[in-house]
Amino acid sequence: MMKKMMIALLAGVAMAASAQQTESGGEPEKEDLPHRIGNFFTKYFRDFNETDTSYIEPQHYNFALMMQNTNTYELYSIGSKDGQIISFAPKPTYRVGPYFGWRWFFLGYTFDVSHISNEHNKKEFDVSLYSNLMGVDLYYRKTGNDYKIRSFQPDGDSREIRNLDIPFSGLNVGIVGADLYYIFNHKKFSYPAAFSQSTVQRRSCGTALAGFGYTRHSINLDSKQLENTLNEHLREFGTSKLDSGLLFDNVKYSNISASGGYAYNWVFAHNWLLSTSAMLALGYKHVTGALRKDEVTLLRDFSFRNVTLDGTYRIGLVWNNTKWFAGMSAIMHSYNYKTSQFYTNNTFGSLNFYVGFNFNRKRGH
């Protein structure tokens, strides 16, 4: 591989030197090696980022202003090997605020109108950057104490699920991570057209995707409080004792993943675009945790390594006439891990609605 790269580099440098010969056929102009290498890579990346304008109409303006409403959702489930499943979910958050855009980069701030006092200590940071070649997802989430127990399945029979709505402050979940993915058909397919409104997709097109990511997760569960809460609210069904596999206090794990998927931009009418994509990831997880040592000894000093299947999904609907734009977009992440005694699933995402306009037209556009 290194040999091929060196051959390509030397060939590129030679071409650059040859192009600098004078019209009279004289010797090439003197130029030091660093400048030759720099010119070669500048041309290489410029060609690499080229787009087919019959499929993608480029941005005609330098700046954009936008108002956006962001709604975030989360569902967290834990289950035992014997079929007990408990699902938790906090109240959705609703945020609204302005954004300022420069070409494909948007920066803004949204106000949480559902938790103005921040009494639940919820912290969220989510940003996705889209270019022709690649995309990046960055996220930091730390839940507060506003979870509710949404459902409880006492055994493996799904017909016995209890649909509940019980406040529960004994669960705290945190996640921080980054995903980077490459867009193969980037000359004809535009993620920015669907999710950052900086270009316009003019013809339908699809592409394969590949990427990798890293996340760190933490789960803190007050299992005694959970037992007491369930027994108090399920007395009419009889006392339901939690399986021992669910009686942990905290678990922390890191996840390294390699992913692949497919995306498609459907131009179903003039200035309209519907975009969908799905990526599945094989995640290698390293987990350590502490269990309730006063009641459970079998799983003491829990640690494990495993590979699980995770996913990221996107959908976007946008109308864009190059000056004005409006639409919606959604992104959802799903992470899993399992042991011989229990498993967890953490699904979270956001739904956005926006409207805005571009200004300061570029020269020549």
Side-chain angles (χ1 to χ4, degrees), residues 221-224 227 244-251 288-303:
L221 175 66
D222 188 333
S223 50
K224 284 187 176 180
E227 281 185 300
S244 61
L246 302 182
L247 300 178
F248 62 88
D249 286 332
N250 64 76
V251 171
T288 60
L291 302 176
R292 270 173 44 187
K293 295 178 173 57
D294 59 334
E295 296 189 21
V296 182
T297 60
L298 178 64
L299 303 176
R300 183 175 297 173
D301 299 326
F302 167 84
S303 65

Side-chain angles (χ1 to χ4, degrees), residues 55-125:
Y55 280 83
I56 302 172
E57 182 173 354
Q59 174 66 282
H60 300 305
Y61 299 86
N62 289 309
F63 305 108
L65 284 177
M66 178 178 74
M67 285 294 295
Q68 179 168 295
N69 161 238
T70 298
N71 312 281
T72 60
Y73 304 89
E74 183 174 7
L75 180 66
Y76 192 84
S77 299
I78 58 175
S80 72
K81 66 175 183 178
D82 295 325
Q84 279 194 355
I85 302 175
I86 307 172
S87 295
F88 308 84
K91 293 181 179 179
T93 60
Y94 307 99
R95 304 197 301 266
V96 63
Y99 279 76
F100 172 76
W102 175 71
R103 299 189 178 182
W104 55 269
F105 181 76
F106 271 87
L107 180 66
Y109 183 81
T110 53
F111 302 90
D112 188 348
V113 297
S114 57
H115 300 94
I116 296 178
S117 64
N118 198 30
E119 59 183 0
H120 300 294
N121 299 316
K122 186 186 295 288
K123 297 179 181 179
E124 299 178 2
F125 172 80

Side-chain angles (χ1 to χ4, degrees), residues 109-339:
Y109 183 81
T110 53
F111 302 90
D112 188 348
V113 297
S114 57
H115 300 94
I116 296 178
S117 64
N118 198 30
E119 59 183 0
H120 300 294
N121 299 316
K122 186 186 295 288
K123 297 179 181 179
E124 299 178 2
F125 172 80
D126 298 274
V127 61
S128 295
L129 304 176
Y130 304 97
S131 70
N132 290 335
L133 290 173
M134 59 186 62
V136 180
D137 294 328
L138 305 172
Y139 39 89
Y140 168 78
R141 299 171 63 87
K142 186 175 182 180
T143 61
N145 55 7
D146 63 338
Y147 270 104
K148 288 189 175 184
I149 302 174
R150 299 299 186 181
S151 66
F152 175 60
Q153 180 176 311
D155 52 42
D157 189 352
S158 61
R159 294 173 297 180
E160 296 297 323
I161 293 178
R162 318 284 193 234
N163 292 313
L164 308 171
D165 192 32
I166 306 171
F168 181 69
S169 61
L171 177 66
N172 286 279
V173 179
I175 179 173
V176 58
D179 295 318
L180 175 68
Y181 48 92
Y182 176 79
I183 302 163
F184 285 91
N185 193 17
H186 57 269
K187 292 188 177 182
K188 295 182 178 180
F189 176 93
S190 176
Y191 250 143
F195 297 103
S196 62
Q197 302 82 49
S198 56
T199 60
V200 179
Q201 187 84 43
R202 288 306 185 190
R203 297 171 62 182
S204 300
C205 187
T207 183
L209 307 169
F212 63 91
Y214 174 79
T215 55
R216 286 191 291 112
H217 304 250
S218 64
I219 309 160
N220 293 282
L221 175 66
D222 188 333
S223 50
K224 284 187 176 180
Q225 180 183 344
L226 180 61
E227 281 185 300
N228 294 336
T229 301
L230 287 176
N231 288 332
E232 178 183 350
H233 289 83
L234 296 175
R235 281 180 184 154
E236 67 269 30
F237 303 108
T239 301
S240 297
K241 184 174 178 60
L242 287 180
D243 289 342
S244 61
L246 302 182
L247 300 178
F248 62 88
D249 286 332
N250 64 76
V251 171
K252 296 180 180 180
Y253 68 90
S254 298
N255 177 48
I256 300 175
S257 63
S259 58
Y262 189 80
Y264 191 78
N265 279 354
W266 178 34
V267 181
F268 60 91
H270 185 61
N271 293 334
W272 282 94
L273 172 65
L274 176 63
S275 177
T276 60
S277 70
M279 295 189 71
L280 296 179
L282 284 177
Y284 174 81
K285 295 175 172 61
H286 174 67
V287 186
T288 60
L291 302 176
R292 270 173 44 187
K293 295 178 173 57
D294 59 334
E295 296 189 21
V296 182
T297 60
L298 178 64
L299 303 176
R300 183 175 297 173
D301 299 326
F302 167 84
S303 65
F304 103 162
R305 296 167 185 261
N306 203 359
V307 175
T308 58
L309 190 64
D310 306 319
T312 301
Y313 314 94
R314 290 178 174 82
I315 185 170
L317 175 66
V318 61
W319 174 84
N320 189 344
N321 70 354
T322 72
K323 174 66 175 180
W324 294 88
F325 58 86
M328 59 79 63
S329 64
I331 180 172
M332 183 178 71
H333 303 274
S334 181
Y335 293 96
N336 303 278
Y337 92 81
K338 61 182 179 180
T339 73

Side-chain angles (χ1 to χ4, degrees), residues 2-77:
M2 288 296 297
K3 183 177 180 181
K4 291 182 178 179
M5 291 178 63
M6 289 299 299
I7 292 174
L9 176 61
L10 294 174
V13 173
M15 291 174 61
S18 175
Q20 292 174 351
Q21 290 184 340
T22 60
E23 294 182 359
S24 61
E27 292 295 321
E29 296 180 4
K30 298 280 187 180
E31 191 175 47
D32 56 23
L33 183 60
H35 281 87
R36 294 180 184 180
I37 296 175
N39 291 337
F40 166 71
F41 279 109
T42 298
K43 181 179 183 302
Y44 175 77
F45 283 111
R46 184 168 56 246
D47 294 342
F48 198 53
N49 201 32
E50 183 184 359
T51 59
D52 185 339
T53 55
S54 66
Y55 280 83
I56 302 172
E57 182 173 354
Q59 174 66 282
H60 300 305
Y61 299 86
N62 289 309
F63 305 108
L65 284 177
M66 178 178 74
M67 285 294 295
Q68 179 168 295
N69 161 238
T70 298
N71 312 281
T72 60
Y73 304 89
E74 183 174 7
L75 180 66
Y76 192 84
S77 299

